[in-house]
Amino acid sequence: MSVFSRKIRGFRLIDVVAAGVLAAIILSVYLAKTIAGRERTEIATVEKQIDAERDRIRLLQAEVAHLEQPSRIEQLSSAHLGMVPIPAKNEVTPEKLGEIALAAQIKSAPKVLAAPPPVELAAPAAPAAPGPGPTQVAQVSVAGVNP
């Protein structure tokens, strides 16, 4: 008797094996479809969360744009801090910056050219015992400067 002709309770052995393999394939396809369905619902849930976050981002960007309006900031600064806009006469063009720097140097020039304060030199220090330690050569004091 061969495997193809052997019978179990009236069925050939090959038919029983084929029915078992078919049942296993059907079960595996059903499980794969069920798992894929769960993943699809998870993906849909995540996509909804992403859309909700995008909407929230747009809302927050609109709120930031509203809060950063110059007219609103100017109104709040004048109402709560007493600040006012800078008058146009205080504004400077880049070409005028060099002239302003030169004028500042000319103003401070007499202070720079003033005579330096007198410097007093102290007598040299007594020689120290020979050794590797540092020695003091001279002590300088400037009038008007705290030591």
Side-chain angles (χ1 to χ4, degrees), residues 60-114:
L60 290 174
Q61 286 174 340
E63 186 177 351
V64 165
H66 167 70
L67 293 175
E68 288 181 345
Q69 287 179 347
S71 60
R72 180 183 174 278
I73 293 173
E74 181 181 345
Q75 180 185 13
L76 289 174
S77 66
S78 63
H80 296 286
L81 301 175
M83 301 173 90
V84 293
I86 298 174
K89 69 177 185 173
N90 291 343
E91 293 183 8
V92 177
T93 61
E95 294 81 24
K96 297 282 185 176
L97 287 176
E99 295 174 16
I100 293 171
L102 183 60
Q105 285 178 346
I106 291 172
K107 267 187 175 177
S108 65
K111 293 178 185 174
V112 172
L113 297 177

Side-chain angles (χ1 to χ4, degrees), residues 22-36:
L22 184 63
I25 290 173
I26 290 171
L27 182 63
S28 64
V29 168
Y30 174 75
L31 289 175
K33 191 174 179 181
T34 303
I35 292 170

Side-chain angles (χ1 to χ4, degrees), residues 8 28 33 57 110 129 146:
I8 299 175
S28 64
K33 191 174 179 181
I57 288 171
N146 291 335

Side-chain angles (χ1 to χ4, degrees), residues 11-25:
F11 296 103
R12 288 188 300 180
L13 181 61
I14 193 75
D15 292 337
V16 172
V17 172
V21 169
L22 184 63
I25 290 173

